[in-house]
Amino acid sequence: MAYSAGRQFLSNLKNVPRNLRDSVMRHGRPTSDRARTQTVVQNFFLHIHPSRVHNHTLKWTTTMGLGIMTTALFLILTVTGILLMVYYKPSVATAFDSIKDIHFVVPTGRMMRNVHRWAAHGMVVMVMMHMARAFYTSAYKRPREFNWVLGMMLFVLTLGLSFTGYLLPWDQLAFWAVTIGSSIAGSPSEVTDAFGITQSFDPGGRIRELLLGAHYIGEEALIRFYTLHIMVLPIALSVILGVHFWRIRKDGGLARPASADPPITQDGLKPGEAPDKTFGLMAVVRERTPATDQAIENTSPAWPRLFRVEAALTVLVLLITVVLSIWLDAPLKELANPEVPENPAKAPWYFLGLQELVSYSAFMGGMVIPGIVVVGLALIPYLDREDEDVGIWFSGRQGRRIATASTVYGIVLSVGILAFTVKFKWLGEWDWVRNLIGEVPPIVITLFNPGTVFVLAAAAWSIGLLRVTNSTRMAAIGLFTCFLVCFVIMTYFATFLRGPNWDFYWSQADWPVIEH
Amino acid sequence: MTDKPSSGLTGPRFEEPVERRDFFGLAAVWSFFGMILTATLGALKLPMPAVFPEADSRFPIGKPEDFPAGPPKEIKRRRLWVLSDDKGIAVVSTVCPHLRCVVTRHADGTFVCPCHGSRFDATGKKTSGPSPRGLIWKEVSITPDGRLIVDSEREVSSNARFAV
Ligand code: HEM
Ligand code: FES
């Protein structure tokens, strides 16, 4: 036999690296536009991208990179979270010590923990800003309604991740924040109590039992929160994130104004221009195509422009979290002590606005108003169905003016209500009310408190705008802006101006010394 | 059976003489979803705790002589203050009825909650703040051998003192 298997084997051996590479990447070096497009289409990790993106999408002002940064933060959280899991022990007896070990003993442990913490805060900020930009550019409009709803789910999951992660260190901060949080979940009892039916019908109590696995925060609660934090919520978030991305492509890329695709001549060319090479998946299906023939010439290959942006933003976000982590340590207070709360006992910052509302009424501030906000946000695309001005910030000049006016209105409203409440307190403490009707029933406070006044005033503003402008979009801008401004002000107020016993102080320097 | 075309592309559906098959097909689809639904609901029952890990809700706090009429005494571990005067003994829970923080007792006898500032007077009656009600008084009883027993799950009205 002339054929020498031995020689063949040696040559195979020599060619292993090349053949391995060719079998992994079944296309040539991505040196041409065509090869790069193929790379994007054929590579598992890249194929979530379109092969071409619209030039409008790549403009800085379209997205400000917020969604990409949120994704980058989630990836950072996943990696650092898995590393923390190596040492973290989810039990009441060991959790706190294991975090201390991570912080002070484990090599790079402090860095990983800090990065995890700052990335978690960053993700909450970014997810909110991303939502605001999608709102203000009308990106929720047809056909993107459902992707907005998916986004709301991602928002809630992000907050859920943060909240469940908060308990894990099992320090004073964790214990009391979760005491309040889980009691808010149980606050429907405030209403059933008012009707005296809690004995037989207690949905609030059931929710709390489901969350804590007990009537107090202990081993059972820690295990439940841990399972949610490291498995249930991250998996749910990843899956929904995948659908979120997938739908962007099915909806024809990011929202863009009609003016982004200038009219073209009969033969499909803009006057005086020859088309770039175009690529497409040729099959006849009844669906919206990502790029129609008129838009294709305004697109660029995803490689390199989109990838360059993604890489740059990922590096930026990583850099910021790492630099923050060098200078600022994630807090760790003393071991959880169920006998003595922190004073003031404050929730994480993004829940502080909520905590302010809860200090008026647990059920209204903790369940009803947040419920209305989340459901209301999710329904925006179904309530405002005006199709014009998609992809334009504030839908143009009128919207910009209304957003400005609503900002002013929101500031006046929330500062006014806060100042009033601090200065005069509320119904239950007013002597003339007491003289008139005696003790104010709790259900009255539940229904009528500074929080509900704010919601009603914001709703009135929005309805007024609806009347005046005759546009659901303008009414939506008014309402959204009001709530956003209020969220910022309430958060600031509760973070910096509320001190021990939730009393008002101009500065932390005025806080009294609390002796235990 | 095998000679029947079943592809929807060969013609409108009503031309296919397979009503019985349709019926079985539909029945299969519905049983599939029915079973998945039942299984999911069954699985979701698991996290709803059936037994609770709490210790007995009744526990001894001492003898009546330990609580002579006079300044109240705190039992920190149980989150209780024991008030005692010539009318008898009362046990007040320090768990705030608002969102379950633990209230602190000031020197003047009033209670303040650090979390959202609910205030209560010396007997636990609410004076201000978001709490929907006053502090909870717990039931006190006595064993034949003379030990005071508190039942943390039973509430008594806030003037029912336990006379000793
Ligand atoms: C798949 C993703 C994630 C995994 C595997 C993970 C895992 C962990 C683990 C094991 C801990 C306990 C260690 C510790 O407390 O330092 C923890 C803590 C924490 N996680 Fe996550 N996590 C993930 C995503 C997130 C996300 C998306 C957020 C918020 C947006 C978040 C927020 C937190 C917070 C605030 C803590 C407390 C950190 C501390 O005090 O050190 N995590 N996480
Ligand atoms: S928990 Fe006591 S006032 Fe809120």
Side-chain angles (χ1 to χ4, degrees), chain A residues 208-283:
Chain A
R208 226 173 83 84
E209 285 167 5
L210 187 62
L211 202 60
L212 300 181
H215 293 113
Y216 58 88
I217 296 176
E219 203 69 61
E220 293 72 22
L222 183 53
I223 274 292
R224 277 166 195 240
F225 276 56
Y226 181 70
T227 311
L228 286 172
H229 187 75
I230 65 142
M231 286 282 282
V232 182
L233 299 179
I235 290 178
L237 198 144
S238 310
V239 170
I240 297 179
L241 197 57
V243 184
H244 197 59
F245 291 156
W246 182 76
R247 282 193 82 108
I248 293 175
R249 301 203 33 204
K250 296 296 150 186
D251 293 337
L254 298 188
R256 58 179 171 272
S259 61
D261 295 311
I264 43 175
T265 54
Q266 198 94 62
D267 54 355
L269 298 181
K270 258 194 278 181
E273 256 186 38
D276 276 349
K277 204 166 195 173
T278 60
F279 302 92
L281 175 64
M282 294 309 158

Side-chain angles (χ1 to χ4, degrees), chain A residues 77-78 81 84-85 99 113 116-117 120 161-162 165 168-169 229 234:
Chain A
L77 282 163
T78 310
L84 292 173
M85 282 172 73
I99 298 278
R113 174 166 185 256
H116 195 77
R117 175 58 72 98
L161 269 167
S162 267
L168 304 182
H229 187 75

Side-chain angles (χ1 to χ4, degrees), chain A residues 18-97:
Chain A
R18 226 185 84 204
N19 286 335
L20 188 67
R21 192 199 67 204
D22 287 353
S23 68
V24 174
M25 298 187 289
R26 287 169 299 205
H27 39 74
R29 280 175 179 280
T31 44
S32 65
D33 260 8
R34 184 188 149 85
R36 283 195 280 262
T37 304
Q38 272 188 339
T39 312
V40 175
V41 174
Q42 293 187 356
N43 181 305
F44 176 82
F45 297 100
L46 297 180
H47 90 284
I48 191 96
H49 298 91
S51 54
R52 299 183 71 88
V53 277
H54 198 280
N55 291 338
H56 183 262
T57 297
L58 293 167
K59 273 200 217 150
W60 158 245
T61 48
T62 304
T63 63
M64 297 168 146
L66 293 167
I68 294 176
M69 288 197 271
T70 315
T71 313
L73 286 165
F74 181 59
L75 293 180
I76 294 173
L77 282 163
T78 310
V79 173
T80 50
I82 292 172
L83 289 172
L84 292 173
M85 282 172 73
V86 174
Y87 286 99
Y88 177 73
K89 304 193 197 76
S91 108
V92 170
T94 52
F96 181 73
D97 288 341

Side-chain angles (χ1 to χ4, degrees), chain A residues 87-267:
Chain A
Y87 286 99
Y88 177 73
K89 304 193 197 76
S91 108
V92 170
T94 52
F96 181 73
D97 288 341
S98 69
I99 298 278
K100 270 213 304 216
D101 283 349
I102 290 173
H103 201 100
F104 295 107
V105 181
V106 173
T108 76
R110 178 193 302 224
M111 177 54 88
M112 292 308 149
R113 174 166 185 256
N114 290 354
V115 169
H116 195 77
R117 175 58 72 98
W118 301 127
H121 287 315
M123 185 168 167
V124 174
V125 176
M126 287 297 151
V127 83
M128 287 179 187
M129 288 174 56
H130 170 62
M131 174 163 80
R133 107 68 200 154
F135 175 81
Y136 284 120
T137 56
S138 301
Y140 56 84
K141 300 209 162 174
R142 222 156 45 112
R144 299 181 177 79
E145 300 105 314
F146 192 65
N147 221 7
W148 170 271
V149 176
L150 290 174
M152 277 310 295
M153 293 181 198
L154 292 172
F155 174 63
V156 172
L157 285 172
T158 306
L159 292 182
L161 269 167
S162 267
F163 179 62
T164 49
Y166 217 73
L167 181 64
L168 304 182
W170 203 255
D171 61 350
Q172 275 291 72
L173 210 59
F175 186 89
W176 291 102
V178 172
T179 299
I180 296 173
S182 58
S183 302
I184 289 176
S187 65
S189 307
E190 191 177 295
V191 177
T192 46
D193 272 346
F195 292 108
I197 52 172
T198 309
Q199 283 294 334
S200 48
F201 176 70
D202 184 17
R206 291 292 96 71
I207 301 175
R208 226 173 83 84
E209 285 167 5
L210 187 62
L211 202 60
L212 300 181
H215 293 113
Y216 58 88
I217 296 176
E219 203 69 61
E220 293 72 22
L222 183 53
I223 274 292
R224 277 166 195 240
F225 276 56
Y226 181 70
T227 311
L228 286 172
H229 187 75
I230 65 142
M231 286 282 282
V232 182
L233 299 179
I235 290 178
L237 198 144
S238 310
V239 170
I240 297 179
L241 197 57
V243 184
H244 197 59
F245 291 156
W246 182 76
R247 282 193 82 108
I248 293 175
R249 301 203 33 204
K250 296 296 150 186
D251 293 337
L254 298 188
R256 58 179 171 272
S259 61
D261 295 311
I264 43 175
T265 54
Q266 198 94 62
D267 54 355

Side-chain angles (χ1 to χ4, degrees), chain A residues 342-393:
Chain A
E342 290 273 279
N343 194 354
K346 290 194 178 184
W349 65 266
Y350 33 85
F351 286 139
L352 277 183
L354 210 64
Q355 193 169 343
E356 178 65 26
L357 289 182
V358 159
S359 78
Y360 311 140
S361 154
F363 180 60
M364 185 54 77
M367 294 280 275
V368 179
I369 294 179
I372 291 177
V373 169
V374 169
V375 174
L377 280 173
L379 286 181
I380 288 178
Y382 303 95
L383 300 178
D384 165 32
R385 299 191 69 79
E386 292 167 14
D387 270 345
E388 305 92 41
D389 299 327
V390 168
I392 298 176
W393 276 91

